């Protein structure tokens, strides 16, 4: 078994990301397996400042004592792997705009995801040539539109109908869903612990893993950290990053106690290390649900 934490270097890690990072580390260390770190920096426009943000993310993990095995892997250095995987899948070009998909698709799912109705799947070559001249295409994998079920360690049974997932975006970037699956397979990751905003993506990713000749990892999705209004934590919620908290007088032991308390492992007033939390950790009893940060 192997676990991992895979942040996107779009902004500094906040308490929600740190709580997920801690839990992923606890799960791997408790199982006695390798824990990898992968920087998911494929979205060039969103990660323009990637090296500095990623460096701060890695420094924050180290400051909390969340060590990892092997070298940090950067997705931007692995595009040849994604191209090779894409070439092994049945794919087609898609020229649809978001608006066209919204107009043609059935109602969005609860998480806002709109299954692709397959508009571009059956176009003639002449039609493709005409539309390609208008708009750079995205690349989709032709799926069989079956319902796929995954068993999440904490969320239980999650079923989703797998549509024709985008694997390369129309700006040329390899899509998150492809890269994450290719890398988890290539790196031998068998245990994925991450925020439950990605729970509904799991059936699509499990299907892709199988389509690539692999087996999906086990999943354990952790609840998000929300603010007092119940919204997903964000920068505007005040002191939410390790740097903000340090400026307000919190040392690593205090932040770990706060996160540990949110997981039911300690009292928030204690001073603990990641190793102390590991000694008290049990995946069957940990409080993995959503947690409210009141600042
Ligand atoms: N890079 C993704 C994020 O930061 C997480 C991917 C994953 O854990 O599967 O939201």
């Amino acid at each position: 078994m192997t676990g991992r934490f895979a942040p996107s270097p779009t902004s500094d890690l906040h308490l929600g990301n740190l709580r997920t990072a801690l839990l992923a580390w606890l799960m791997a260390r408790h199982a006695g397996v390798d824990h990898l770190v992968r920087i998911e920096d494929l979205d060039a426009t969103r990660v323009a400042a990637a090296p500095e943000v990623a460096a701060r993310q890695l420094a924050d993990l180290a400051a909390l004592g969340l060590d990892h095995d092997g070298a940090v892997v950067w997705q931007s250095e692995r595009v040849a792997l994604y191209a090779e995987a894409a070439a092994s899948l049945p794919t087609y070009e898609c020229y649809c705009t978001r608006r066209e998909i919204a107009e043609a698709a059935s109602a969005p799912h609860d998480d806002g995801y709109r299954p692709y109705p397959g508009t571009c799947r059956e176009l003639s070559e002449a039609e493709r040539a005409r539309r390609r001249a208008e708009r750079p295409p995205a690349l989709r994998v032709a799926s069989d539109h079956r319902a796929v079920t995954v068993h999440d360690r904490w969320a239980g049974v999650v079923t989703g109908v797998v549509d024709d997932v985008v694997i390369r975006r129309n700006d040329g970037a390899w899509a998150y869903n492809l890269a994450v699956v290719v890398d988890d397979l290539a790196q031998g990751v068998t245990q994925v612990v991450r925020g439950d905003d990605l729970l509904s993506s799991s059936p699509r990713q499990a299907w892709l893993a199988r389509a690539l000749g692999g087996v999906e990892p086990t999943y354990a999705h952790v609840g998000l950290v929300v603010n007092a209004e119940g919204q997903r934590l964000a920068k505007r919620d005040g002191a939410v990053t390790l740097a903000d908290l340090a400026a307000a007088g919190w040392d690593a032991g205090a932040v770990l106690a706060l996160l540990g308390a949110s997981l039911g492992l300690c009292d928030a007033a204690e001073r603990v290390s990641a190793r102390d939390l590991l000694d008290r950790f049990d995946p069957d009893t940990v409080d993995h649900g959503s947690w409210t940060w009141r600042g």
Side-chain angles (χ1 to χ4, degrees):
M1 260 175 44
T2 300
R4 49 69 161 184
F5 179 61
S8 303
T10 46
S11 60
D12 290 342
L13 300 174
H14 59 52
L15 281 171
N17 310 124
L18 294 171
R19 182 173 184 250
T20 300
L22 172 61
L23 198 42
W25 180 88
L26 287 168
M27 288 285 283
R29 295 304 183 217
H30 179 80
V33 302
D34 279 357
H35 179 64
L36 314 179
V37 170
R38 183 172 70 231
I39 302 290
E40 304 210 316
D41 58 343
L42 283 180
D43 188 335
T45 46
R46 287 186 64 215
V47 300
E52 301 89 74
V53 177
R56 285 201 298 274
Q57 293 181 331
L58 294 171
D60 286 353
L61 298 177
L64 294 181
L66 307 182
D67 59 348
H68 60 88
D69 299 288
V72 172
V73 161
W74 299 70
Q75 285 193 326
S76 57
E77 294 171 357
R78 296 164 67 84
V79 291
L81 276 180
Y82 312 136
E84 192 187 320
S88 76
L89 293 168
T91 55
Y92 64 92
E93 289 183 354
C94 171
Y95 317 94
C96 292
T97 60
R98 271 176 209 277
R99 162 181 271 206
E100 284 167 334
I101 294 172
E103 283 168 1
S106 46
H109 292 173
D110 290 347
D111 61 356
Y113 184 79
R114 283 185 193 274
Y116 183 62
T119 320
C120 290
R121 197 162 164 160
E122 310 293 345
L123 297 181
S124 67
E125 267 318 308
E127 187 69 5
R128 281 184 197 287
R130 187 181 69 74
R131 298 221 49 191
R132 201 179 290 130
E134 290 168 3
R135 204 167 183 271
L139 198 64
R140 290 183 182 272
V141 58
S143 84
D144 42 14
H145 294 261
R146 273 186 301 122
V148 172
T149 295
V150 302
H151 297 268
D152 185 90
R153 168 154 206 152
W154 295 317
V157 172
V158 182
T159 300
V161 174
V162 176
D163 66 343
D164 294 350
V165 180
V166 169
I167 59 168
R168 197 185 62 217
R169 304 177 342 179
N170 88 332
D171 64 1
W174 293 105
Y176 156 69
N177 278 310
L178 178 74
V180 78
V181 171
V182 168
D183 281 337
D184 283 341
L185 288 175
Q187 296 186 275
V189 169
T190 53
Q191 170 176 281
V192 165
V193 180
R194 62 185 178 189
D196 73 6
D197 52 329
L198 292 168
L199 182 61
S200 61
S201 299
S202 304
R204 286 192 286 279
Q205 293 177 6
W207 180 86
L208 254 183
R210 300 269 172 167
L212 289 168
V215 178
E216 68 277 16
T218 62
Y219 294 103
H221 285 85
V222 48
L224 299 183
V225 176
V226 297
N227 64 19
E229 283 76 50
Q231 297 150 340
R232 192 170 162 167
L233 199 69
K235 268 243 160 242
R236 61 172 178 279
D237 294 312
V240 292
T241 67
L242 212 53
D244 299 335
L245 290 163
W250 296 66
D251 59 17
V255 174
L256 280 162
L258 177 71
L259 297 174
S262 82
L263 298 169
L265 300 176
C266 66
D267 191 286
E270 287 181 56
R271 289 289 175 277
V272 292
S273 68
R275 291 273 152 193
D276 295 332
L277 295 175
L278 180 57
D279 288 341
R280 306 178 197 180
F281 180 69
D282 178 350
D284 293 327
T285 55
V286 67
D287 290 343
H288 51 74
S290 143
W291 172 63
T292 306
W293 165 244
R294 294 177 195 281

